[in-house]
Amino acid sequence: MSYEPYGFTSSTGFTTLSFTGPYDPYARAPTPLRAGTLQNLHYEQVCVRNGMQRPHFFSWYRISLFSILGVICAISLAAPLMVTSAIKRFAYPVHHAELIQSAAHRYHVDPYLICAVIHTESGWDAGAHSKAGAVGLMQIMPATAQFLADGGQVSAREYPLTRLQQARENIEYGTAYLAYLQSQFSSRDEVIAAYNAGPTTVGSWKKKQDRGVFADVVEYVETKNYIIRVNQAYDAYKELYPDGIHD
């Protein structure tokens, strides 16, 4: 077995010592024998050649570097998801969340469905008007609102029909109408279709349904597309606001 001198140098901050003994690249520390300088230089060369332990400063440096790289990688992976979610929320916003939540609770209507209807009907434009005369966020017809007020579903004193285009009144009457349709039909698709085409028309379609899918008996192309669009918006709102809707 050969004996090689090796040791620390003062340039690394350690005491200048040299060691002599059998060279073992796997040994954790050599056995000190005598001091010197040339032997110390040889020891550093042996460390480099055989991957022996470096001062702790370099270990912490490597750990810090790898930690930083890990954080950068994690951010790089998460960033696209965060950006996608932000874009989707921009495409599917929520406004008047308190009004929606309050009306949804009062009439036992899914708030995600209310948001989906508003998104599809007006794109959250409170000033929207249709050629048929529908107004506001949920595009309520004045005659429909009058029907709900006459039937006692909505208090016209508390929610004046003259303010139908205002968000508070519009959401109240629109949600009450969804609740009324839910009492008439058994599925969400039927309720959505009735909101677009009217309950009488949907009732006539259902009479033609023979254990098939309701969409198969919908005769209006506009209503078929309306069902698809509202359901897409409904799914998007549930995905983007899993803990409940909020502004």
Side-chain angles (χ1 to χ4, degrees):
M1 180 179 295
S2 63
Y3 286 75
E4 296 185 16
Y6 45 96
F8 299 109
T9 65
S10 58
S11 61
T12 59
F14 291 89
T15 304
T16 304
L17 295 173
S18 67
F19 307 91
T20 305
Y23 170 67
D24 182 358
Y26 299 101
R28 296 185 61 83
T31 304
L33 290 180
R34 59 188 181 83
T37 55
L38 293 176
Q39 292 89 342
N40 296 338
L41 178 61
H42 182 69
Y43 171 69
E44 288 192 350
Q45 294 172 342
V46 171
C47 284
V48 172
R49 187 172 65 246
N50 297 283
M52 294 174 67
Q53 188 174 1
R54 286 289 196 279
H56 291 296
F57 169 78
F58 296 104
S59 298
W60 283 110
Y61 176 80
R62 287 197 301 271
I63 292 171
S64 300
L65 179 60
F66 288 137
S67 298
I68 293 171
L69 289 175
V71 171
I72 292 173
C73 289
I75 293 174
S76 299
L77 292 173
L81 298 177
M82 295 169 64
V83 171
T84 300
S85 178
I87 292 173
K88 282 187 176 181
R89 287 202 176 202
F90 181 79
Y92 293 93
V94 173
H95 305 293
H96 314 293
E98 285 191 20
L99 292 175
I100 294 171
Q101 291 280 28
S102 178
H105 177 75
R106 212 164 21 254
Y107 294 104
H108 306 288
V109 175
D110 189 340
Y112 294 119
L113 179 58
I114 299 172
C115 289
V117 169
I118 293 175
H119 179 273
T120 306
E121 287 284 351
S122 68
W124 297 93
D125 179 7
H129 284 79
S130 74
K131 293 181 180 179
V135 299
L137 292 169
M138 300 188 73
Q139 290 292 279
I140 292 291
M141 294 288 291
T144 302
Q146 186 68 62
F147 166 78
L148 294 169
D150 292 344
Q153 281 94 339
V154 182
S155 170
R157 178 177 297 180
E158 188 174 356
Y159 300 94
L161 291 169
T162 55
R163 292 176 52 85
L164 187 58
Q165 192 162 346
Q166 301 301 312
R168 178 175 177 268
E169 283 71 22
N170 200 272
I171 290 172
E172 188 73 18
Y173 281 98
T175 304
Y177 188 44
L178 284 173
Y180 169 76
L181 296 176
Q182 286 180 170
S183 70
Q184 304 296 309
F185 301 103
S186 58
S187 74
R188 190 172 74 220
D189 280 359
E190 293 169 5
V191 169
I192 293 170
Y195 197 94
N196 176 258
T200 302
T201 301
V202 172
S204 67
W205 290 341
K206 279 186 63 63
K207 291 178 181 178
K208 302 174 184 179
Q209 185 178 0
D210 183 21
R211 297 184 180 182
V213 180
F214 170 70
D216 292 340
V217 298
V218 175
E219 297 177 2
Y220 298 166
V221 174
E222 177 189 338
T223 302
K224 283 190 174 185
N225 291 334
Y226 184 79
I227 294 171
I228 293 172
R229 290 169 59 206
V230 172
N231 278 321
Q232 286 176 341
Y234 178 86
D235 292 339
Y237 279 109
K238 287 197 73 173
E239 176 189 348
L240 294 171
Y241 304 88
D243 299 323
I245 61 168
H246 54 81
D247 292 298

